[in-house]
Amino acid sequence: MRAPLFVVGWMLIFSTPLMASYEDDLNALSRLHNLVVIQDGEIVLEHHQAGPEPAEAANIKSLSKSILSLLAGIAIDKGYFELNQPISELLGRHQPAQTPADLNQIQVEHLLSMQSGLQRTSGRNYGTWVNSDNWTQYALTRPMVDEPGGDMLYSTGNSHILAAILTEQTGRSLLQLMRGWVGSPLNIRIYPWLQSPEGIYFGGNDMRISARGLAWIGQLYVNLGMANGQQVVSENWIEQSFQPRTNSVYTDDPYGLGWFSYQFNDVEAFYGRGYGGQLLYVIPAYKLSIVMTSDPTPPSQGGYINRQHRFVEAHILPRFSDR
C-alpha cells in the first residue's frame, strides 16, 4: 500500500519519515506557490508555499494552451469543425484581406501542434505582437517560414488564431465556452482573463484557474474524458492529444496537441507547462494529476522545470508506485 498523505493547515505532511533531501528539494523550488495531487478522484496532497492559495485564481501562463486544446477537442466532438480542416474555412470575419501565407494549407491540427509554419509571435517577436491593434490579424499575416506540419515553431499566435476560430464557429466567447464546457461539468470556477484589442479572450496565455481546478482538469484526462458521470470530451480526443506530432526545440520532449510527453524512468507522463513554473502532469498508470503553480513574474530561473521534474520523480511518484 502507498503511504497515505494528509493536508494539515496548508502544510504538507507525509505519514512516513521524509528523506533527508526532501526539505532541501522543496526549498529549491523557490518560485513554488502550490502543489496539488489528485489520485483517482481524491485530493491526496496539498501544499501551499506562497502566492494565491490552492483554491484561488492563478495565472497559468502558457499552460493555457493545454486547456485550449481541451476546448478544441470538445468543439470537434460537437461538430463545429474538424481537426484536419483548413483554417481558411473557419476564420469568418477574421479572414485577412491579404496574407503572405496560404491559409488553405494550414489545418486546425497545425495550430495545436505548433506546426503552422507561420513566423513566431513568441520570443523576441512577442512584444511587437501584443502591442498591435489586432492580435488575430497580426498572427495570420506573418510570413511562412516553414511548411505546415514541419518543425515545431512555438508561437502563442497559433493558439490565439485557434481562440478566434472557436469564438467565430460557436458564437460564444472563450470565457463562456470555458465556463459552460469545462467549469460546469467539472464544478470548478473559471475566472475572466485578458482579452485582445479585437475582443478575443487571449488564446494560449494568461488564463486564470486555481491549482485545484487544474488538478481536476488533469483528472478529466486520467478518466478518459469522464467527469461526474458525464463524457465531457471523447476518449479519442484524449488519445489524439497525447500522440506526438513533433518535438520541443527547448527540451526535445515529444509534443502532441497542446501536451508534452515525459518519461519518469518507466512511467509515462504527459504535461502542460507555462512560464515561470506552471505545470499540470497527467500520469495515467497511477491515475494521478499533479499541479504546481509558481511565481509567474520574471525572471524565470533557468532549469526550474528540471527541478520540478526531479521533485516529482523523487518525492511524489514513489508513494504511488505500488498502486
Side-chain angles (χ1 to χ4, degrees):
M1 299 238 347
R2 65 174 171 87
L5 309 170
F6 300 93
V7 181
V8 178
W10 301 115
M11 293 301 291
L12 171 66
I13 297 179
F14 291 96
S15 67
T16 55
L18 299 177
M19 295 170 55
S21 64
Y22 173 79
E23 288 191 27
D24 289 341
D25 286 350
L26 188 57
N27 290 335
L29 302 179
S30 56
R31 304 178 65 87
L32 185 69
H33 284 173
N34 292 296
L35 170 64
V36 179
V37 181
I38 298 181
Q39 185 186 43
D40 202 14
E42 177 186 0
I43 297 176
V44 292
L45 184 156
E46 273 189 357
H47 170 70
H48 173 64
Q49 189 158 296
E53 292 192 347
E56 296 177 340
N59 186 335
I60 66 171
K61 306 304 284 184
S62 283
L63 176 49
S64 305
K65 293 175 175 64
S66 303
I67 312 305
L68 186 69
S69 173
L70 172 59
L71 287 182
I74 298 172
I76 289 170
D77 288 343
K78 291 179 178 293
Y80 284 105
F81 49 81
E82 297 177 1
L83 184 61
N84 61 357
Q85 192 166 358
I87 66 172
S88 58
E89 299 176 1
L90 303 170
L91 290 167
R93 63 190 172 93
H94 300 289
Q95 179 75 38
Q98 292 183 326
T99 173
D102 184 357
L103 302 183
N104 293 309
Q105 300 301 314
I106 301 173
Q107 301 175 2
V108 172
E109 179 175 9
H110 297 141
L111 299 178
L112 285 160
S113 64
M114 298 293 162
Q115 295 175 289
S116 71
L118 292 167
Q119 184 186 66
R120 299 174 65 225
T121 60
S122 294
R124 64 183 181 181
N125 300 324
Y126 184 81
T128 304
W129 175 47
V130 296
N131 282 302
S132 69
D133 59 5
N134 189 313
W135 296 359
T136 306
Q137 290 290 301
Y138 187 96
L140 285 166
T141 54
R142 295 308 87 206
M144 294 296 287
V145 295
D146 196 2
E147 294 293 323
D151 290 339
M152 182 187 199
L153 295 169
Y154 186 91
S155 175
T156 302
N158 290 327
S159 303
H160 195 70
I161 294 168
L162 181 57
I165 287 172
L166 279 161
T167 302
E168 184 73 11
Q169 293 302 311
T170 65
R172 300 166 69 188
S173 74
L174 217 59
L175 176 62
Q176 290 173 321
L177 294 178
M178 278 293 296
R179 286 177 168 171
W181 288 358
V182 179
S184 180
L186 271 65
N187 195 28
I188 60 176
R189 184 173 178 181
I190 305 297
Y191 300 82
W193 70 97
L194 181 67
Q195 288 180 277
S196 63
E198 72 274 19
I200 302 297
Y201 279 91
F202 200 172
N205 201 359
D206 287 343
M207 284 185 179
R208 298 174 67 245
I209 305 175
S210 71
R212 280 187 201 163
L214 285 171
W216 286 116
I217 290 173
Q219 282 290 291
L220 178 68
Y221 281 78
V222 167
N223 293 325
L224 300 177
M226 290 288 295
N228 297 316
Q230 179 179 343
Q231 191 75 46
V232 178
V233 69
S234 66
E235 181 176 342
N236 178 64
W237 183 255
I238 305 294
E239 295 171 353
Q240 288 268 11
S241 300
F242 292 159
Q243 181 181 341
R245 269 75 171 176
T246 184
N247 290 81
S248 168
V249 296
Y250 305 109
T251 64
D252 202 40
D253 289 343
Y255 192 70
L257 303 179
W259 291 86
F260 296 94
S261 302
Y262 190 78
Q263 200 73 23
F264 288 107
N265 292 323
D266 61 344
V267 180
E268 186 174 36
F270 306 96
Y271 72 94
R273 63 177 290 191
Y275 181 82
Q278 323 315 317
L279 273 175
L280 167 57
Y281 297 95
V282 174
I283 305 177
Y286 294 170
K287 297 184 178 180
L288 282 176
S289 56
I290 304 170
V291 169
M292 292 185 186
T293 56
S294 304
D295 181 359
T297 58
S300 180
Q301 297 171 316
Y304 185 70
I305 188 172
N306 291 326
R307 292 197 291 276
Q308 291 176 293
H309 287 339
R310 288 196 297 268
F311 183 85
V312 169
E313 187 167 50
H315 301 296
I316 305 298
L317 296 187
R319 290 169 171 80
F320 299 92
S321 60
D322 57 353
R323 286 295 293 255

